[in-house]
Amino acid sequence: MNEKIIDGKHCSKQIRENLKKEISKLPSIPELVDIQIGNDEASTIYINNKKKAAESVGIKFHHVHFEDNIDKQIIIDKIKELNNDIKITGILLQLPIPKEYDEQELINYIDPNKDVDGLTKINYGKLFLGQDGLVSCTPLGVIKLLEAYNVDLENKNVVIIGRSNLVGKPLIELLLRKNANISICHSKTKNLGEHTKNADILIVAVGHENLINKDMIKNNVVIIDIGINRLNGKIVGDVDFNSVIDKVKLITPVPGGVGPMTVTMLLNNVVKSYKLTNKMDV
Amino acid sequence: MNEKIIDGKHCSKQIRENLKKEISKLPSIPELVDIQIGNDEASTIYINNKKKAAESVGIKFHHVHFEDNIDKQIIIDKIKELNNDIKITGILLQLPIPKEYDEQELINYIDPNKDVDGLTKINYGKLFLGQDGLVSCTPLGVIKLLEAYNVDLENKNVVIIGRSNLVGKPLIELLLRKNANISICHSKTKNLGEHTKNADILIVAVGHENLINKDMIKNNVVIIDIGINRLNGKIVGDVDFNSVIDKVKLITPVPGGVGPMTVTMLLNNVVKSYKLTNKMDV
């Protein structure tokens, strides 16, 4: 494989093997529940991927599916039931959910110790306060990849494009802990290239194909591409891979970069939530 | 007064007059409790300032003082008692506290609806998730000053120096809501000037006198100086005021800039906490 390409599949495989060993030694089987509302097609694919990944390391996977237009209270009651079920150690709400529901309201019913997406207000608060808690999977996966490839972050200029609660914002905190200098750009940023040209490490999480090309980066940049876009029947990221490849030091491909790490970090969080709910050391 | 100088005292006075009117119409008197542990000299001065400010707008102020080495459980019991006291609508732990106590552990006992410093994990989580809650006073004061002086923030380069939980980090979120492009520097950032020269708005919250001089800024920058340092018997900020004054568009003086606004935003938060604890619209 091109030595510039960050191999998320390989990195992921190693972590999953370790998780599998760790799980086999736990006193009982961790169980993960993925709650889906409605029939978003991409969600159904993601859920199947999570199920396969979970089962491959010895986690029992439950898919709870509600039809669109279900009464909100039924979802809340289900979450409460799962919170009280000692066998269930991880709960997540598959996003996006239909617009008539308040995503954050529902998420906040999840027991913070079972909140494997790290999106309850308590885990989100702990994250930014610098405390230990459950942290959302994609940002964790990005950090693990950078660590695996020995990318030095201290006093490096990291430019993050995208400010979502799930990806961009947690990355700010996680990268501050690594003593990076951080810049955040977003949909209202004009002249994006002026910002991205300063990046030693460029992290793109927008969902817009070909957003970044070779004229917007400096030589030897490390690029982490979190975008997932469908273009002419293919899955591509936010970065024009062929345009930038000659200039970069390292880059994540799409698919095969951050994607596998996101699912792996979910498995990692299920083990952590197992320990938290069973009051074991994490 | 020099038209380049952001007059925090004046801005503060106007807001306090409005708060005084609003408080006079509330069904009862809001009461604020400031908990001090130990005898930090600066803290005692701040507490007296807060008391004066609170009483000037009609808020009843209580100073609860524990000696250093008090048993942690006594503090926790006091916080719980205050949480249950319906007359008390705002509670804050005066920082810094002696090192033998876990600051965040104690703060998390405060009822989030009475947490006027916005530092409980629940309010901190709500802040970064973009939800309404109580937000710490200095960052709020900075935003109010920028609004009062019509400083346009959308797509502007804001450089924040300092990443504390109390000031730097909440500013990231509040300025993202204004669609600013944000860069964060800190104690591990070398070549600070390379970053600060890009700033349209420069916010400094470090606690180091003369950190910023005219060679580190571009013309027409807006500077918000949050530092409070003692130098040769005088209070000064983090910015070498006399060095930069000719180049800036606007600047906050120290004292008389952000300081008065911090106390004013505390009063504002007490009114908000009153409404939250009394289940009124905020």
Side-chain angles (χ1 to χ4, degrees):
Chain A
M1 198 177 219
N2 186 327
E3 64 180 11
K4 289 182 170 187
I5 293 178
I6 295 177
D7 189 349
K9 275 191 200 166
H10 177 72
C11 192
S12 194
K13 198 178 157 202
Q14 289 186 309
I15 300 173
R16 289 189 199 187
E17 278 167 15
N18 289 333
L19 284 172
K20 193 173 177 178
K21 279 182 212 154
E22 192 177 359
I23 290 166
S24 69
K25 291 175 195 155
L26 294 175
S28 61
I29 294 171
E31 301 192 21
L32 169 64
V33 179
D34 193 341
I35 301 172
Q36 184 183 19
I37 311 170
N39 293 292
D40 180 75
E41 211 177 313
S43 288
T44 305
I45 296 170
Y46 291 140
I47 291 168
N48 279 328
N49 287 342
K50 289 177 187 175
K51 180 176 169 24
K52 265 189 236 166
E55 289 172 353
S56 78
V57 296
I59 292 169
K60 192 165 174 181
F61 186 90
H62 305 268
H63 178 197
V64 171
H65 185 214
F66 292 112
E67 290 302 322
D68 202 349
N69 297 320
I70 185 125
D71 184 57
K72 184 180 82 177
Q73 194 55 46
I74 295 178
I75 305 168
I76 294 170
D77 289 344
K78 185 67 190 178
I79 293 173
K80 288 181 178 171
E81 180 197 315
L82 295 167
N83 286 343
N84 291 326
D85 185 339
I86 54 164
K87 292 195 310 298
I88 304 301
T89 55
I91 304 169
L92 68 88
L93 183 64
Q94 186 68 37
L95 303 176
I97 59 173
K99 281 178 185 156
E100 58 266 37
Y101 303 95
D102 180 339
E103 178 181 304
Q104 195 60 48
E105 184 197 357
L106 293 177
I107 288 171
N108 277 333
Y109 280 99
I110 298 173
D111 177 343
N113 285 334
K114 300 188 178 189
D115 166 31
V116 285
D117 262 348
L119 283 176
T120 56
K121 60 190 171 189
I122 285 181
N123 278 319
Y124 219 67
K126 287 169 98 171
L127 170 66
F128 286 92
L129 286 165
Q131 299 180 294
D132 190 42
L134 287 159
V135 178
S136 81
C137 306
T138 300
L140 275 186
V142 170
I143 298 293
K144 287 278 179 194
L145 279 181
L146 292 169
E147 286 174 350
Y149 281 79
N150 295 312
V151 177
D152 183 23
L153 291 161
E154 180 151 322
N155 189 41
K156 294 296 181 294
N157 295 345
V158 179
V159 176
I160 302 168
I161 312 178
R163 53 178 163 174
S164 68
N165 289 345
L166 199 57
V167 181
K169 285 194 224 167
L171 273 171
I172 298 171
E173 167 66 27
L174 296 178
L175 290 161
L176 277 177
R177 293 185 194 173
K178 299 283 192 181
N179 294 322
N181 309 317
I182 297 168
S183 297
I184 311 123
C185 300
H186 43 73
S187 55
K188 300 291 182 188
T189 304
K190 292 167 187 166
N191 304 322
L192 198 55
E194 284 176 24
H195 299 272
T196 54
K197 270 180 201 163
N198 291 324
D200 300 311
I201 294 109
L202 176 61
I203 303 178
V204 195
V206 174
H208 193 299
E209 68 274 4
N210 296 332
L211 184 71
I212 304 296
N213 61 48
K214 68 176 188 309
D215 299 328
M216 300 168 75
I217 55 171
K218 67 178 180 187
N219 280 320
N220 252 352
V221 64
V222 174
I223 297 185
I224 305 289
D225 187 349
I226 305 179
I228 300 179
N229 310 291
R230 280 168 185 75
L231 185 68
N232 305 327
K234 278 177 62 184
I235 300 288
V236 298
D238 290 346
V239 178
D240 185 345
F241 188 90
N242 292 326
S243 165
V244 302
I245 187 71
D246 286 341
K247 282 181 93 175
V248 302
K249 183 177 181 188
L250 289 169
I251 185 168
T252 56
V254 178
V258 175
M261 289 300 287
T262 295
V263 180
T264 299
M265 288 302 107
L266 173 64
L267 309 178
N268 185 68
N269 276 354
V270 173
V271 173
K272 188 167 181 177
S273 71
Y274 179 95
K275 293 177 181 173
L276 288 168
T277 50
N278 287 285
K279 298 188 169 52
M280 293 163 68
D281 283 343
V282 287
Chain B
M1 199 178 221
N2 185 329
E3 61 179 15
K4 288 183 172 188
I5 293 178
I6 294 178
D7 188 348
K9 275 192 200 165
H10 177 72
C11 193
S12 192
K13 197 177 159 205
Q14 289 186 307
I15 299 173
R16 289 189 198 188
E17 278 167 14
N18 289 333
L19 283 171
K20 192 173 178 177
K21 277 181 212 154
E22 192 178 357
I23 291 166
S24 71
K25 290 174 195 156
L26 294 175
S28 61
I29 293 171
E31 301 191 23
L32 169 65
V33 179
D34 195 341
I35 301 171
Q36 183 182 19
I37 311 170
N39 293 293
D40 180 74
E41 210 177 311
S43 288
T44 305
I45 296 171
Y46 291 140
I47 291 168
N48 280 328
N49 287 343
K50 289 176 188 177
K51 181 177 176 2
K52 265 189 235 166
E55 289 171 355
S56 77
V57 297
I59 292 168
K60 191 164 174 181
F61 186 91
H62 305 268
H63 178 195
V64 172
H65 184 213
F66 293 111
E67 289 304 323
D68 202 348
N69 298 322
I70 184 126
D71 183 57
K72 185 181 79 174
Q73 194 54 47
I74 295 177
I75 306 168
I76 294 170
D77 289 343
K78 185 67 190 179
I79 293 174
K80 288 181 178 173
E81 180 196 315
L82 295 167
N83 285 342
N84 291 327
D85 185 339
I86 55 164
K87 293 196 310 297
I88 304 302
T89 55
I91 304 168
L92 69 88
L93 183 64
Q94 187 67 38
L95 303 177
I97 59 173
K99 280 178 186 156
E100 58 266 37
Y101 303 94
D102 179 339
E103 178 182 304
Q104 195 59 47
E105 183 197 356
L106 293 176
I107 288 172
N108 278 333
Y109 281 99
I110 298 173
D111 177 345
N113 285 333
K114 300 188 178 189
D115 166 32
V116 286
D117 262 349
L119 282 177
T120 55
K121 59 189 172 188
I122 286 180
N123 278 318
Y124 219 66
K126 287 169 100 173
L127 170 65
F128 286 92
L129 286 165
Q131 297 181 293
D132 190 42
L134 288 159
V135 178
S136 84
C137 305
T138 300
L140 274 185
V142 170
I143 298 293
K144 287 278 179 196
L145 279 181
L146 291 170
E147 285 173 350
Y149 281 78
N150 296 312
V151 177
D152 183 22
L153 291 162
E154 180 150 323
N155 189 40
K156 294 296 182 293
N157 295 345
V158 180
V159 176
I160 303 168
I161 311 179
R163 53 179 163 173
S164 68
N165 289 345
L166 201 58
V167 181
K169 285 196 225 168
L171 274 171
I172 298 171
E173 168 65 27
L174 296 176
L175 291 160
L176 277 178
R177 294 184 193 174
K178 298 285 192 181
N179 294 323
N181 309 318
I182 297 168
S183 297
I184 311 124
C185 299
H186 44 73
S187 55
K188 300 289 182 189
T189 304
K190 292 168 186 165
N191 304 321
L192 199 56
E194 284 176 24
H195 298 272
T196 55
K197 270 180 199 162
N198 291 323
D200 300 311
I201 294 110
L202 176 62
I203 304 178
V204 196
V206 174
H208 192 300
E209 69 274 4
N210 296 331
L211 184 72
I212 304 295
N213 62 47
K214 68 177 188 310
D215 299 327
M216 300 168 74
I217 55 170
K218 65 179 182 187
N219 279 321
N220 252 352
V221 64
V222 174
I223 296 184
I224 304 290
D225 188 350
I226 305 179
I228 298 179
N229 310 293
R230 281 169 182 75
L231 185 69
N232 305 327
K234 277 177 62 182
I235 300 286
V236 298
D238 291 345
V239 178
D240 184 345
F241 188 90
N242 292 327
S243 165
V244 302
I245 187 71
D246 286 341
K247 281 182 94 175
V248 303
K249 184 178 180 188
L250 289 169
I251 185 169
T252 56
V254 178
V258 175
M261 289 300 286
T262 294
V263 181
T264 299
M265 287 302 106
L266 173 64
L267 309 177
N268 185 68
N269 276 354
V270 173
V271 173
K272 188 166 180 177
S273 70
Y274 178 96
K275 292 177 181 174
L276 287 169
T277 49
N278 287 285
K279 298 187 170 50
M280 293 163 69
D281 283 342
V282 287

